[in-house]
């Protein structure tokens, strides 16, 4: 079920009503959350449920076994079992064909021709997200940071919690799991804040991201037709498309959770105003970057290792992050670019030759520089193939396009609207860096606040792009 | 608590007010808006005794001015573009809220009795469906037989249907009446008389003598068609109105390989005690020429005058009013 679908528009109000009816009864409430989450997830394909149930079951049992076992070697074995099963699912469903393809290509480099083939494997929606979430639970217990729960209902609900199940934020058990043991009372103020986030998230997704996607898809699916400015526009548009798409999803997830009395972690914090790639990763997909920090970077030695080892650790984290996003060379290159720049920035800081980026003019300069680097990296992320990404790189600076901006898939008024929307988004984000916009909105006079809500709702209805089948999927669902 | 209720009330009022306005603003501009508005206006002034129902074959062929004069009555044409029989009874029901006609004339032809399958055909039905309130259960029952669930919101609300035309909408003047060009057409009580003449004159020059009826065994009147006609007749007669079913002159009819349709229709109507008049059998009496057509399926203003005079006299002679 997609947040921007009619199905969900019917599902959520019914769930919401039932939720607050049974809210005081913890057991009933968690049963409702779990059954609704399975319904939400099974809407795509009921067979996916078997995976999430298996994953939950394994980590519930393993978590308890690790905690109650005194022997470190056995503890380690249990942890390995959890890693093997969870990562095994992930690798099988996500990377099997990639590895087969890479294997065949590697063989052909040595002159051994192998017939190309691939397995017909459907990638279960959100598997990368809930796998990381359940893994963090087992690893935290293993490290002694967390006590396992004895309540399977709460644990299964924590893994399958539908607002953040398919695209995050990737929650830590220490933050989200205890919330399944608390009764929530309906608070109008919190409900209002949740509503604002949901409305704003839908606006970002349906009005901005899906509109920009039309142009981006046209150019990136036919790269050979375009060059120079067309490619730049499509790449910049993609930067905003993926931001609005993914942060829109996160806003909706956080908003829905708030409406239910749950608190989810922040996932985006105005990333395109970052003045360095290091800062960018503190503001982009925060739940994933902190996950990699805690469960990959630090176990590798983190910043406490020797200088070159730290650089290597950082680099590994970003390449793995690229691979997490998708089973393709283009994603690895995307991670590679970020890794290289992060290492350079770390080296500059270590040797105290990093320019102070806080001064106003330098701040603007480095802001633009960071955005351009991010865009170049996005180019690989979005390209349909490695060959396409090379073509784009070769043609980015050949400004002899015969096509023209109004022939890139969007009608003239839609192009103007797209630029206006990007500008509005930037103004909003800039304001949000200094002030909490949601707070300002909630403190505004009654009529003004209502007018604003009505404007957002009808902007979505009128300016929203509903997609060919009525709804369009979120980009991050494929990861 | 009072504050919360007030804030919800303000929001609800603003939301529905804006929705109502935008739904109007995003409605399509077409002549059926004029037809319905004028019909309601006229029905407030007087009872309309004779009402025509059907498709464009109806509103291009029967001029109420002619009927008013010959039959000394008040008449109106409620034909709508491409309207299929399955939805026509909804227009009948809606119109009966405003007037109580003595005679109802239902215009049908073979394609009008089929369900709309293409997007274009389905789109035409919306002109009429927009007239029927969304709370009508009958409307949604019919819609569920023709349209998919994904279309329901678009059907119910022009705002959803036409949202992507946001840059073409006139947000100030929300009247969706169409400005009709009197140099090209005549508009009167739902009738639109075209001043155009058919281009393919040669192709149809033998239309009065051409009669090729081959396959008379293949039924053209399916279960859906029969059901739709019977529903219409039931509702019309329940209102105490007489019903006359007609088929308009159509240049393609004499050239069709299977005209069993008219015999089947006549037999069905006979069973239901309803007279049927096929104007395609009366070209000579009407003195109809090829140049009396706008296109093969529709009469122009001259042809409409001839057909209207003929039909009005038929109604008068048979004392149907």
């Amino acid at each position: 079920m997609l947040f921007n679908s009619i199905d969900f528009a019917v599902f959520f109000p019914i769930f919401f009503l039932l939720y607050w009816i049974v809210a005081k009864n913890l057991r009933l409430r968690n049963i409702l959350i779990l059954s609704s989450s399975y319904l939400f997830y099974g809407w795509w394909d009921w067979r996916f449920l078997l995976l999430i149930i298996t994953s939950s079951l394994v980590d519930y049992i393993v978590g308890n076994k690790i905690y109650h076992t005194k022997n470190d070697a056995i503890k380690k074995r249990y942890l390995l079992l959890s890693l093997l099963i969870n990562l095994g699912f992930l690798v099988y469903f996500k990377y099997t064909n990639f590895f087969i393809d890479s294997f065949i290509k590697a063989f052909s480099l040595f002159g051994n021709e192998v017939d190309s083939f691939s397995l017909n494997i459907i990638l279960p929606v959100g598997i990368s997200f809930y796998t990381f979430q359940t893994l963090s639970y087992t690893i935290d217990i293993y490290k002694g940071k967390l006590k396992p729960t004895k309540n399977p209902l709460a644990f299964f609900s924590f893994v399958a919690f539908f607002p953040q199940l398919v695209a995050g934020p990737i929650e830590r058990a220490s933050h989200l799991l205890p919330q399944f043991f608390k009764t929530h009372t309906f608070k109008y103020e919190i409900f209002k804040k949740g509503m604002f986030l949901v409305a704003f998230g839908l606006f970002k997704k349906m009005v901005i991201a899906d509109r920009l996607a039309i142009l981006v898809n046209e150019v990136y699916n036919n790269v050979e037709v375009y060059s120079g400015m067309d490619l730049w526009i499509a790449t910049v548009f993609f930067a905003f498309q993926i931001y609005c798409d993914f942060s829109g999803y996160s806003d909706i997830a956080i908003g829905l959770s708030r409406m239910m009395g749950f608190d989810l972690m922040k996932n985006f914090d105005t990333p395109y105003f970052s003045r360095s790639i290091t800062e960018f990763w503190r503001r982009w997909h925060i739940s994933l970057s902190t996950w990699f920090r805690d469960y990959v970077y630090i176990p590798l030695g983190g910043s406490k290792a020797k200088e070159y080892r730290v650089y290597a650790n950082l680099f590994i984290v970003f390449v793995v992050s690229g691979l997490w996003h998708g089973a393709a060379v283009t994603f690895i290159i995307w991670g590679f670019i970020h890794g290289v720049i992060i290492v350079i920035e770390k080296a500059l800081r270590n040797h105290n030759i990093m320019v102070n980026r806080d001064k106003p003019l330098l701040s603007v300069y480095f802001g633009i520089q960071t955005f351009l680097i991010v865009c170049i990296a996005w180019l690989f992320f979005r390209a349909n193939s490695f060959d396409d990404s090379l073509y784009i790189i070769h043609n980015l600076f050949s400004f002899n396009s015969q096509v023209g901006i109004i022939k890139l898939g969007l009608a003239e008024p839609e192009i103007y609207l797209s630029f206006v929307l990007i500008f509005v988004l930037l103004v909003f984000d800039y304001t949000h860096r200094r002030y909490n916009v949601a707070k300002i909105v909630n403190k505004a006079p009654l009529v003004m606040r209502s007018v604003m809500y009505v404007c957002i709702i009808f902007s979505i209805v009128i300016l929203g792009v509903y997609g060919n089948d009525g709804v369009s999927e979120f980009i991050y669902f494929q990861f | 608590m009072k504050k919360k209720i007030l804030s919800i009330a303000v929001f609800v009022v603003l939301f529905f007010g804006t929705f109502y306005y935008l739904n109007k603003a995003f409605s399509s501009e077409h002549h059926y808006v004029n037809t319905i508005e004028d019909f309601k206006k006229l029905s407030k002034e007087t009872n309309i005794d004779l009402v025509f129902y059907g498709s464009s074959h109806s509103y291009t062929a029967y001029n109420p001015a002619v009927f008013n004069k010959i039959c000394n009555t008040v008449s109106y044409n409620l034909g709508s573009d491409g309207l299929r029989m399955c939805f026509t009874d909804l227009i009948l029901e809606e119109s009966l809220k405003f007037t109580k006609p003595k005679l109802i004339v239902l215009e049908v032809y073979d394609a009008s009795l089929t369900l709309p399958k293409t997007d274009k055909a389905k789109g035409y039905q919306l002109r009429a469906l927009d007239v029927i309130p969304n709370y009508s259960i009958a409307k949604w029952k019919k819609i569920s037989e023709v349209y998919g669930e994904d279309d329901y919101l678009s059907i119910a609300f022009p705002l959803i249907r036409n949202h992507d035309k946001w840059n073409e909408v006139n947000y100030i003047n929300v009247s969706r009446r169409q400005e009709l060009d009197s140099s090209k057409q005549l508009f009167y009580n739902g009738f639109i008389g075209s001043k155009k003449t058919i281009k393919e004159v040669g192709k149809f020059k033998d239309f009065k003598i051409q009669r090729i009826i081959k396959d008379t065994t293949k039924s053209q009147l399916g279960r859906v068609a029969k059901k739709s006609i019977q529903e219409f007749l039931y509702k019309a007669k329940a209102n105490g109105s007489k019903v006359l079913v007609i088929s308009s002159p159509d240049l393609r009819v004499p050239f069709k390989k299977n005209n069993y349709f008219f015999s089947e229709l006549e037999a069905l109507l006979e069973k239901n005690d309803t007279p049927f008049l096929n104007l395609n059998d009366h070209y000579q009496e009407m003195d109809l020429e090829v140049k009396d057509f706008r296109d093969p399926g529709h009469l122009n203003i001259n042809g409409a005058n001839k057909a209207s005079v003929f039909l009005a006299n038929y109604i008068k002679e048979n004392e149907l009013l």
Side-chain angles (χ1 to χ4, degrees):
Chain A
M1 219 181 280
L2 294 161
F3 287 159
N4 53 336
S5 67
I6 298 293
D7 298 338
F8 189 76
V10 174
F11 164 83
F12 189 72
I14 296 170
F15 166 82
F16 184 75
L17 204 71
L18 291 174
Y19 178 86
W20 285 110
I21 290 171
V22 300
K24 293 283 172 217
N25 184 327
L26 215 56
R27 193 177 148 76
L28 261 184
R29 189 202 68 180
N30 286 347
I31 288 173
L32 178 69
I33 290 177
L34 184 64
S35 53
S36 304
S37 296
Y38 283 167
L39 175 71
F40 174 87
Y41 193 58
W43 208 255
W44 274 285
D45 190 331
W46 64 269
R47 290 170 300 177
F48 293 170
L49 287 174
L50 297 174
L51 281 177
I52 199 168
I53 292 169
T54 310
S55 204
S56 308
L57 196 66
V58 166
D59 284 301
Y60 175 74
I61 296 168
V62 166
N64 276 292
K65 290 280 183 197
I66 291 174
Y67 186 74
H68 292 106
T69 307
K70 299 272 186 266
N71 187 318
D72 282 352
I74 297 173
K75 274 187 180 190
K76 207 170 203 169
R77 263 182 235 160
Y78 278 124
L79 178 68
L80 280 173
L81 177 73
S82 167
L83 289 172
L84 207 69
I85 292 172
N86 284 303
L87 293 178
F89 281 152
L90 188 61
V91 169
Y92 173 75
F93 284 103
K94 198 165 175 175
Y95 302 105
T96 305
N97 283 326
F98 172 66
F99 289 139
I100 292 173
D101 194 40
S102 305
F103 183 74
I104 291 168
K105 278 180 184 161
F107 253 74
S108 66
L109 284 178
F110 298 103
N112 300 313
E113 286 302 324
V114 180
D115 287 342
S116 178
F117 73 99
S118 61
L119 300 177
N120 187 16
I121 299 170
I122 305 165
L123 179 68
V125 179
I127 189 168
S128 310
F129 289 88
Y130 70 72
T131 300
F132 272 29
Q133 186 156 308
T134 51
L135 274 182
S136 74
Y137 170 78
T138 322
I139 299 169
D140 281 353
I141 293 170
Y142 175 77
K143 286 181 175 173
K145 288 182 183 173
L146 188 74
K147 280 185 181 175
T149 174
K150 285 179 182 167
N151 184 335
L153 183 59
F155 181 73
F156 278 55
S157 304
F158 153 73
V159 178
F161 190 47
F162 75 84
Q164 47 87 243
L165 170 62
V166 287
I170 302 165
E171 282 293 333
R172 305 302 158 75
S174 55
H175 178 234
L176 184 59
L177 190 54
Q179 297 183 50
F180 286 92
F181 294 97
K182 280 182 195 159
T183 49
H184 300 138
T185 44
F186 183 83
K187 285 180 183 148
Y188 184 64
E189 288 306 310
I190 294 173
F191 171 79
K192 270 196 307 185
K193 283 176 188 167
M195 280 289 284
F196 176 79
L197 277 173
V198 172
F200 191 55
L202 282 171
F203 180 86
K204 282 204 273 189
K205 163 67 182 160
M206 293 173 73
V207 179
I208 308 181
D210 289 350
R211 173 163 279 98
L212 302 183
I214 298 170
L215 185 145
V216 174
N217 292 344
E218 166 59 28
V219 175
Y220 270 83
N221 292 342
N222 307 283
V223 282
E224 67 286 353
V225 180
Y226 303 101
S227 61
M229 195 51 83
D230 311 329
L231 297 172
W232 274 109
I233 290 170
T235 305
V236 170
F237 270 31
F238 179 67
F240 286 102
Q241 182 204 339
I242 194 164
Y243 171 52
C244 289
D245 192 287
F246 193 21
S247 71
Y249 181 92
S250 296
D251 286 346
I252 299 168
I254 296 166
L256 292 173
S257 304
R258 277 198 191 162
M259 288 162 76
M260 295 157 63
F262 281 85
D263 176 52
L264 297 185
M265 72 182 289
K266 197 179 195 177
N267 217 13
F268 289 87
D269 185 12
T270 62
Y272 289 149
F273 284 96
S274 305
R275 288 151 300 177
S276 67
I277 294 296
T278 311
E279 187 185 354
F280 175 79
W281 277 104
R282 278 201 296 266
R283 297 175 174 279
W284 178 275
H285 203 174
I286 299 164
S287 65
L288 179 73
S289 46
T290 51
W291 195 97
F292 274 115
R293 182 196 64 202
D294 295 344
Y295 301 105
V296 182
Y297 179 67
I298 292 173
L300 283 172
S303 304
K304 288 175 182 165
K306 286 182 181 171
E307 190 178 358
Y308 289 100
R309 178 69 202 199
V310 171
Y311 300 152
N313 291 345
L314 279 171
F315 187 72
I316 290 166
V317 164
F318 279 92
V319 173
V320 173
S321 167
L323 200 60
W324 177 88
H325 278 86
V329 179
T330 45
F331 290 109
I332 298 173
I333 297 173
W334 173 76
F336 178 89
I337 294 170
H338 279 280
V340 168
I341 306 290
I342 288 266
V343 167
I344 293 171
E345 286 178 359
K346 182 81 175 166
L348 291 174
R349 261 196 311 277
N350 281 352
H351 296 276
N352 290 325
I353 44 177
M354 184 91 162
V355 179
N356 179 4
R357 300 181 177 202
D358 293 335
K359 291 177 183 169
L361 269 179
L362 285 176
S363 168
V364 173
Y365 168 77
F366 284 110
I368 293 169
Q369 179 187 279
T370 305
F371 181 70
L372 287 176
I373 294 168
V374 169
C375 282
I376 296 291
W378 281 138
L379 179 162
F380 287 95
F381 192 96
R382 175 60 185 85
N384 291 340
S385 66
F386 181 60
D387 289 342
D388 275 7
S389 57
L390 287 184
Y391 174 89
I392 297 168
I393 290 287
H394 279 133
N395 289 279
L396 267 181
F397 296 98
S398 82
F399 294 101
N400 57 354
S401 170
Q402 302 294 313
V403 180
I405 189 166
I406 55 164
K407 289 180 181 167
L408 298 181
L410 278 176
E412 206 173 341
E414 296 277 344
I415 289 271
Y416 296 139
L417 179 66
S418 300
F419 283 113
V420 169
L421 290 169
I422 290 172
F423 178 74
V424 170
L425 178 78
L426 289 173
V427 170
F428 180 89
D429 270 10
Y430 185 77
T431 315
H432 198 64
R433 277 173 78 91
R434 289 159 185 266
Y435 316 99
N436 186 333
V437 177
K439 232 177 205 174
I440 298 172
V441 168
N442 281 318
K443 280 186 179 171
L446 174 66
V447 175
M448 216 170 112
R449 203 170 61 226
S450 296
V451 167
M452 215 208 59
Y453 276 119
V454 167
C455 282
I456 292 180
I457 291 167
F458 286 106
S459 304
I460 296 167
V461 174
I462 295 169
L463 302 175
V465 177
Y466 303 157
N468 290 335
D469 303 320
V471 287
S472 79
E473 282 205 352
F474 288 84
I475 294 175
Y476 262 68
F477 279 18
Q478 62 187 291
F479 309 134
Chain B
M1 192 64 184
K2 266 185 188 174
K3 207 179 160 189
K4 278 177 200 166
I5 292 170
L6 183 69
S7 88
I8 292 167
V10 168
F11 175 78
V12 167
V13 168
L14 266 172
F15 178 86
F16 284 104
T18 312
F19 187 76
Y20 178 78
Y21 156 73
L22 287 173
N23 224 18
K24 279 221 162 238
F26 277 81
S27 298
S28 309
E29 186 184 298
H30 52 76
H31 68 82
Y32 208 56
V33 175
N34 307 28
T35 300
I36 292 297
E37 278 185 9
D38 293 351
F39 172 77
K40 287 178 182 171
K41 200 173 155 193
L42 181 64
S43 64
K44 274 182 192 163
E45 292 165 11
T46 178
N47 189 59
I48 303 167
D49 291 332
L50 168 59
V51 183
F52 291 87
Y53 296 88
S55 63
S56 56
H57 288 224
S58 170
Y59 78 68
T60 55
Y62 310 109
N63 183 353
V66 174
F67 291 87
N68 293 354
K69 194 178 172 190
I70 294 175
C71 302
N72 191 26
T73 188
V74 180
S75 60
Y76 206 94
N77 199 321
L78 282 176
S80 173
D81 286 308
L83 184 64
R84 299 299 166 97
M85 194 59 228
C86 58
F87 292 118
T88 310
D89 65 322
L90 295 175
I91 291 292
L92 169 72
E93 254 183 331
E94 187 61 22
S95 62
L96 293 180
K97 290 177 188 167
F98 298 91
T99 194
K100 196 173 163 46
K102 289 175 186 161
L103 176 62
I104 283 168
V105 179
L106 170 66
E107 196 281 331
V108 292
Y109 64 105
D110 50 1
S112 73
L113 291 169
T114 59
L115 292 177
K117 300 273 186 212
T118 62
D119 285 349
K120 192 178 173 186
K122 285 180 181 177
Y124 273 137
Q125 309 311 308
L126 300 181
R127 296 187 170 196
L129 287 173
D130 278 349
V131 172
I132 319 295
N134 279 332
Y135 57 74
S136 159
I137 294 167
K139 173 180 175 175
W140 289 104
K141 214 175 146 190
K142 297 264 172 160
I143 284 170
S144 68
E145 290 165 11
V146 174
Y147 297 88
E149 283 171 22
D150 291 346
D151 296 328
Y152 288 0
L153 274 177
S154 296
I155 295 166
F157 307 113
L159 169 62
I160 308 277
R161 188 190 311 157
N162 298 322
H163 77 102
D164 54 347
K165 297 188 181 86
W166 56 269
N167 58 323
E168 295 164 19
V169 169
N170 183 345
Y171 291 93
I172 297 164
N173 178 14
V174 292
S175 165
R176 289 296 170 258
R177 284 181 73 92
Q178 195 173 53
E179 287 294 324
L180 293 156
D181 185 352
S182 59
S183 67
K184 290 180 183 163
Q185 52 202 355
L186 171 80
F187 184 74
Y188 179 77
N189 282 9
F191 165 74
I192 298 181
S194 170
K195 294 180 181 174
K196 279 187 198 164
T197 304
I198 188 170
K199 284 176 186 163
E200 313 111 294
V201 177
K203 190 179 169 186
F204 296 103
K205 66 180 181 350
D206 296 331
F207 81 103
K208 286 189 197 173
I209 50 168
Q210 196 81 25
R211 278 288 183 279
I212 305 170
I213 304 173
K214 283 182 182 171
D215 182 5
T216 53
T217 53
K218 197 177 164 192
S219 173
Q220 283 185 286
L221 212 57
R223 188 185 57 82
V224 175
K226 283 179 185 167
K227 193 181 145 211
S228 303
I229 292 173
Q230 280 167 332
E231 273 176 359
F232 185 94
L233 296 179
Y234 175 78
K235 284 174 186 171
K237 287 176 182 173
N239 186 58
S241 308
K242 286 181 191 168
V243 184
L244 169 65
V245 179
I246 58 169
S247 279
S248 297
D250 185 331
L251 282 177
R252 296 163 301 186
V253 167
F255 298 91
K256 279 189 178 168
K257 288 181 181 172
N258 180 358
N259 271 340
Y260 185 46
F261 162 75
F262 292 117
S263 320
E264 274 188 295
L265 180 64
E266 197 167 6
L268 174 77
L269 293 169
E270 210 174 290
K271 264 190 203 170
N272 288 277
D273 293 327
T274 306
F276 172 60
L277 178 65
N278 181 2
L279 272 78
N280 290 289
D281 292 336
H282 301 276
Y283 295 148
Q284 299 289 0
E285 292 101 307
M286 285 187 278
D287 191 25
L288 220 52
E289 301 294 334
V290 182
K291 61 180 171 44
D292 291 328
F293 284 81
R294 182 189 84 182
D295 56 50
H298 302 92
L299 291 166
N300 62 22
I301 196 163
N302 293 326
N305 196 44
K306 289 177 181 178
S308 299
V309 169
F310 177 80
L311 183 60
N313 283 322
Y314 175 89
I315 290 168
K316 196 177 174 187
E317 282 162 20
N318 289 281
E319 294 176 344
L320 293 171
L321 262 172

